[in-house]
């Protein structure tokens, strides 16, 4: 029976997913990111030290527990790919060349309440860059460009990457006289979920803010712009702080770099904070136009202190596409389609069961030239074999004979053909993935 939060795609959806993963992978490699895969489990204390709550981590236990194997009880399934990556970097620093650029496409597990586009088991596609001691800021400006190129290679609605910098928020809060900046960040990050009135009340109650300070925090969170005008908007609020100045300068670099590369891709959105504690600077969240109410489908940021060993530090910046979340939303609104239900381009008809060897030879000749081919399951009447192909969207049926012929069952056109030289139209060789107009918003 189905288990909520653990998606299982049908074959047409899985073909779309594989196409999407191929395009994402190709874009990552175009930018020079190298592939990596890490283990599914991490020590529980590692997972819980990075800002995630214990209720969201799945523990790993054997069905028949060995009471003497206490280590088994302290393992959990990873809830993202950044924490395992940081651990991997520390353990393998002597074997890596820095700055180290990697991409990672893996399943992760998170004990959240399942809902549309949000799962307990899901696929992520991450890129990160880490370096020793210091990481130049230009990598922060590169992350949105990679994601923008990946999304443009796919039949998706336009994406908008919302960018902020925690230094802007923290510096602003300090400039207001608020000391518990982490609590203020966590509270403001709930703005879209609980609204300004409840955020104001929580700021007063949990962060010690006055009504005026809470109002100023909301004024900052309301600022958004696709160009550098956000800097003047922040300045008009009259708060001064060195960290605020540093954060505004960094955020301006990200927005201006994206504006040169892909106008409209990035928007400074000063309410974005991200929930995980390890982010220290730039943060990203991404929405699809028409699907804004479902929240972010791609997020990440700068983390300067996540990976460290003794006095050695490995600062990094990364961004992650929630592949299952993205596809789940689009599948749910019938916004992605595929031209056929199977990869097969040609069905070789079977006149008689004793001709199967000859049909297998024809199929082999077609496959040797990269044409996806299968042989009919039984020697039924040709009309039934054609209907078998039609139900699966297979465009061509091959009839052995003297000579062989191949039929486009959509148009009815049938021509003589040789399995060693016949070619299908390029558009029919593999299933075509397409976007479908959808009004999700």
């Amino acid at each position: 029976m189905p288990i909520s939060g653990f998606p299982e795609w049908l074959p047409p959806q899985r073909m779309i997913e594989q196409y999407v993963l191929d395009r994402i992978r190709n874009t990552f490699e175009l930018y020079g990111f190298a592939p990596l895969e890490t283990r599914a489990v991490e020590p529980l204390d590692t997972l819980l030290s990075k800002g995630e709550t214990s209720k969201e981590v799945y523990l790993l236990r054997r069905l028949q527990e060995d009471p003497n194997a206490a280590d088994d009880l302290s393992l959990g399934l990873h809830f993202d790919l950044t924490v395992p990556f940081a651990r991997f970097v520390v353990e393998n620093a002597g074997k890596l060349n820095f700055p180290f650029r990697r991409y990672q496409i893996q399943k992760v597990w998170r004990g959240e309440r399942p809902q549309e586009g949000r799962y307990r088991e899901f696929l992520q596609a991450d890129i990160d860059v880490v370096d020793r001691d210091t990481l130049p800021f230009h990598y922060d400006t590169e992350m949105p460009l990679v994601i923008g190129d990946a999304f443009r290679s796919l039949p998706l609605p336009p994406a908008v990457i919302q960018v902020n910098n925690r230094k802007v928020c923290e510096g602003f809060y300090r400039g207001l006289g608020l000391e518990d900046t982490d609590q203020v960040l966590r509270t403001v990050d709930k703005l879209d979920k609980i609204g300004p009135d409840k955020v104001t009340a929580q700021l007063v109650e949990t962060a010690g803010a006055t009504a005026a300070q809470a109002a100023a925090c909301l004024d900052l969170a309301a600022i958004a712009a696709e160009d550098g005008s956000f800097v003047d908007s922040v300045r008009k609020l009259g708060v001064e702080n060195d960290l605020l100045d540093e954060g505004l300068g960094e955020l301006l670099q990200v927005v201006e770099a994206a504006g040169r590369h892909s106008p409209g891709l990035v928007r400074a959105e000063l309410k974005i904070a991200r929930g995980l504690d390890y982010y220290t600077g730039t943060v990203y969240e991404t929405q699809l136009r028409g699907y804004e109410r479902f929240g972010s489908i791609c997020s990440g940021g700068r983390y300067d202190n996540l990976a460290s060993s003794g006095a050695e530090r490995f600062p990094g910046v990364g961004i992650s596409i929630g592949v299952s979340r993205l596809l789940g939303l689009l599948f749910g609104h019938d916004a992605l389609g595929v031209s056929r239900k199977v990869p097969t381009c040609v069905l070789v008809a079977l006149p008689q069961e004793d001709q199967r060897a000859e049909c297998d030879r024809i199929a082999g000749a077609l496959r040797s030239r990269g044409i996806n081919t299968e042989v009919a399951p039984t020697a039924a009447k040709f009309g039934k074999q054609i209907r078998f192909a039609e139900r699966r969207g297979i465009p061509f049926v091959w009839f052995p004979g003297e000579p062989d012929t191949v039929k486009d069952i959509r148009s009815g056109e049938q021509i003589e053909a040789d399995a060693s030289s016949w070619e299908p139209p390029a558009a029919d060789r593999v299933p075509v993935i397409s976007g479908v107009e959808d009004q999700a918003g």
Side-chain angles (χ1 to χ4, degrees):
M1 74 179 186
I3 304 175
S4 65
F6 294 83
E8 293 179 319
W9 308 134
L10 292 169
Q13 296 171 319
R14 176 61 174 154
M15 286 194 292
I16 294 173
E17 182 183 56
Q18 288 180 315
Y19 173 85
V20 167
L21 292 176
D22 286 343
R23 290 300 180 95
I24 291 172
R25 184 184 300 109
N26 288 342
T27 304
F28 289 171
E29 292 186 354
L30 278 173
Y31 276 82
F33 291 89
L36 182 67
E37 181 167 322
T38 55
R39 66 199 184 203
V41 299
E42 296 292 335
L44 192 57
D45 57 357
T46 299
L47 295 173
L48 298 185
S49 69
K50 308 306 179 184
E52 197 73 354
T53 60
S54 58
K55 68 181 180 181
E56 293 184 334
V57 176
Y58 282 106
L59 294 178
L60 192 70
R61 287 188 176 144
R62 289 191 299 161
L63 184 61
Q64 296 189 6
E65 251 174 52
D66 181 350
N68 298 318
D71 288 348
D72 286 352
L73 306 183
S74 60
L75 297 177
L77 294 170
H78 57 220
F79 59 81
D80 75 354
L81 298 178
T82 306
V83 171
F85 173 59
R87 187 266 311 157
F88 179 90
V89 168
V90 171
E91 292 181 1
N92 294 277
K95 304 171 187 175
L96 303 177
N97 294 314
F98 293 96
F100 178 48
R101 301 163 69 84
R102 84 85 174 84
Y103 74 86
Q104 201 166 336
I105 301 175
Q106 279 183 250
K107 290 282 185 73
V108 300
W109 296 267
R110 196 172 295 180
E112 296 185 305
R113 181 173 63 86
Q115 51 189 295
E116 186 172 12
R118 190 173 293 278
Y119 304 107
R120 293 188 283 183
E121 176 185 68
F122 51 99
L123 191 65
Q124 285 189 332
D126 281 30
I127 49 172
D128 286 83
V129 183
V130 295
D131 209 341
R132 288 183 185 271
D133 301 325
T134 59
L135 178 72
F137 186 78
H138 65 80
Y139 292 111
D140 293 50
T141 71
E142 182 184 36
M143 292 291 141
L145 311 187
V146 183
I147 297 302
D149 285 358
F151 283 174
R152 272 192 299 275
S153 74
L154 295 164
L156 302 177
V160 177
I161 302 177
Q162 301 172 322
V163 186
N164 195 8
N165 192 302
R166 282 199 169 183
K167 295 176 184 177
V168 171
C169 300
E170 185 176 343
F172 187 86
Y173 303 152
R174 287 181 184 176
L176 285 174
L178 294 169
E179 295 182 3
D180 193 351
T181 56
D182 286 344
Q183 181 60 44
V184 179
L185 267 174
R186 284 192 291 270
T187 305
V188 172
D189 196 40
K190 301 175 184 176
L191 187 58
D192 287 341
K193 294 180 181 178
I194 65 175
D197 291 343
K198 289 185 178 179
V199 166
T200 298
Q202 288 190 14
L203 286 173
V204 172
E205 180 182 345
T206 65
T210 65
Q213 288 171 327
C217 292
L218 290 178
D219 288 340
L220 180 73
I223 295 172
E226 290 186 0
D227 56 23
S229 62
F230 69 88
V231 176
D232 289 338
S233 300
V234 175
R235 296 295 186 206
K236 287 177 183 176
L237 297 179
V239 175
E240 295 185 3
N241 180 271
D242 290 343
L243 189 62
L244 171 63
D245 295 341
E246 183 181 336
L248 287 173
E250 291 182 351
L251 185 55
L252 184 62
Q253 288 183 57
V254 176
V255 171
E256 289 182 340
R260 292 190 296 269
H261 181 83
S262 306
L265 172 66
V266 163
R267 182 172 73 237
E269 190 80 56
L270 271 61
K271 66 181 177 182
I272 300 300
R274 303 288 300 126
L276 294 172
D277 292 344
Y278 54 67
Y279 293 118
T280 55
T282 309
V283 287
Y284 316 96
E285 289 194 353
T286 308
Q287 295 181 341
L288 293 182
R289 293 192 189 275
Y291 294 81
E292 290 87 353
R293 65 192 176 96
F294 297 105
S296 180
I297 46 86
C298 174
S299 57
R302 159 76 69 138
Y303 47 92
D304 286 326
N305 305 308
L306 183 59
S308 60
S309 177
E312 195 166 32
R313 212 169 50 125
F314 301 94
V317 62
I319 194 164
S320 172
I321 302 172
V323 178
S324 300
R325 177 168 171 74
L326 168 67
L327 292 177
L329 291 174
L330 296 176
F331 289 159
H333 292 271
D334 296 322
L336 282 176
V338 61
S339 59
R340 55 185 187 254
K341 296 179 179 179
V342 294
T344 311
C345 176
V346 179
L347 177 76
V348 179
L350 182 64
Q352 301 290 337
E353 188 60 42
D354 60 9
Q355 291 181 255
R356 185 170 291 278
E358 171 61 15
C359 293
D360 286 342
R361 183 196 64 77
I362 293 169
L366 292 169
R367 292 178 191 134
S368 70
R369 294 185 296 107
I371 301 170
N372 299 337
T373 307
E374 61 180 282
V375 177
T378 62
K381 291 181 179 180
F382 280 160
K384 187 174 182 180
Q385 295 187 47
I386 290 172
R387 287 194 294 276
F388 175 85
E390 283 177 333
R391 287 195 300 271
R392 287 155 182 77
I394 300 170
F396 297 98
V397 175
W398 192 283
F399 296 97
E402 294 292 341
D404 289 359
T405 60
V406 64
K407 182 175 184 176
D408 183 334
I409 62 174
R410 300 161 298 183
S411 67
E413 180 185 10
Q414 187 165 343
I415 61 172
E416 293 183 9
D418 186 325
S420 65
S421 59
W422 177 82
E423 284 286 338
D428 290 324
R429 182 177 275 272
V430 296
V432 176
I433 312 298
S434 59
V436 179
E437 288 298 323
D438 175 74
Q439 298 297 323

